[in-house]
């Protein structure tokens, strides 16, 4: 039995979705974030030294990092249902988006979250205006332009095909779901991004996606 160590409001939700798409039986071990720090509980360190989620157990294998987990499940249990044929242009696009999702798309989104919390964090009254001014400056001069750069880029890429790796839904779309849902939650998707909004609507309508939400529980990102 595959086991997913699942943290609420985290990347592990897309692992549950992938398992539902593949129709594989699995067990969910739930963890809740600390309501004050929003960090994972220390109990996750007993599963993996970094104490992060998702972590997948499949027999003797213990695997962390959502991209590695998505690739492993699609390659090992997917019977090529969610992977283009190796060596094709679609296969190369899939590999690109699998790495882009965390390597390029997520850093400005995480920085946006961090600086928004800096701006609203409790602080002595004489420090608060300084903290807010610094946060606003970083958001205006760096994070905001970076977010616009990436969402505009992704919007343009979906003009090439309805799915990220081509004309067929693939593991790349599952991997890309998290940064796009995070971008939507952070208000980075606007009327100028109809293809990205349509992409999210399509994945949210998939029966496997809805089943994964039932298994994983409430899902609110980057708030």
């Amino acid at each position: 039995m595959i086991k997913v160590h699942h943290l609420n409001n985290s990347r592990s939700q897309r692992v549950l979705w992938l398992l539902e798409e593949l129709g594989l039986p699995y067990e969910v071990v739930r963890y809740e974030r600390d309501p004050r720090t929003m960090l994972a509980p220390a109990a996750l360190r007993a599963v993996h030294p970094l104490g992060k989620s998702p972590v997948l157990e499949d027999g003797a294998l213990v695997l962390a990092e959502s991209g590695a987990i998505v690739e492993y499940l699609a390659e090992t249990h997917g019977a090529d249902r969610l992977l283009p044929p190796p060596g094709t242009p679609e296969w190369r696009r899939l590999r690109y988006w699998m790495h882009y999702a965390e390597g390029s798309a997520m850093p400005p989104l995480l920085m946006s979250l961090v600086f928004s919390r800096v701006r609203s964090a409790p602080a002595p009254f004489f420090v608060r205006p300084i903290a807010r001014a610094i946060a606003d400056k970083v958001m205006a001069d760096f994070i905001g332009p970076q977010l616009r750069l990436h969402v505009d880029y992704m919007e343009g890429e979906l003009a090439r095909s309805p799915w990220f790796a081509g004309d067929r839904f693939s593991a790349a779309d599952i991997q890309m779901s998290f940064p796009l849902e995070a971008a939507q939650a952070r208000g980075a998707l606007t009327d100028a991004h109809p293809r990205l909004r349509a992409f999210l609507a399509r994945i949210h309508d998939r029966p496997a996606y809805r089943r994964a939400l039932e298994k994983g529980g409430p899902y609110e990102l980057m708030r």
Side-chain angles (χ1 to χ4, degrees), residues 5-77:
H5 295 270
H6 170 66
L7 180 67
N8 65 307
N9 297 332
S10 78
R11 291 161 170 81
S12 57
Q13 185 62 44
R14 63 185 164 188
V15 175
L16 304 185
W17 174 25
L18 173 57
L19 288 164
E20 291 291 336
E21 291 282 355
L22 296 176
L24 296 174
Y26 63 96
E27 176 187 351
V28 179
V29 183
R30 295 176 181 270
Y31 301 83
E32 294 292 322
R33 294 182 183 274
D34 183 295
R36 183 178 62 84
T37 66
M38 299 306 293
L39 296 176
L44 264 171
R45 292 198 187 97
V47 184
H48 189 276
L50 293 180
K52 303 290 186 180
S53 176
V55 177
L56 181 88
E57 290 187 67
D58 189 7
L61 175 69
V62 177
L63 186 62
E65 293 295 336
S66 55
I69 292 170
V70 169
E71 287 186 343
Y72 166 76
L73 289 172
E75 292 170 355
T76 307
H77 298 286

Side-chain angles (χ1 to χ4, degrees), residues 158-208:
L158 282 186
R160 299 174 58 181
S161 58
W163 302 105
F164 277 98
D167 293 332
R168 196 180 105 187
F169 175 78
S170 73
D173 301 299
I174 293 175
Q175 181 72 350
M176 284 296 297
S177 66
F178 189 86
L180 284 174
E181 288 175 324
Q184 185 177 56
R186 298 301 301 161
L189 299 189
T190 69
D191 291 342
H193 308 109
R195 295 184 186 92
L196 295 180
R197 289 181 164 186
F199 171 87
L200 289 176
R202 288 199 305 276
I203 67 172
H204 293 165
D205 280 342
R206 294 181 73 88

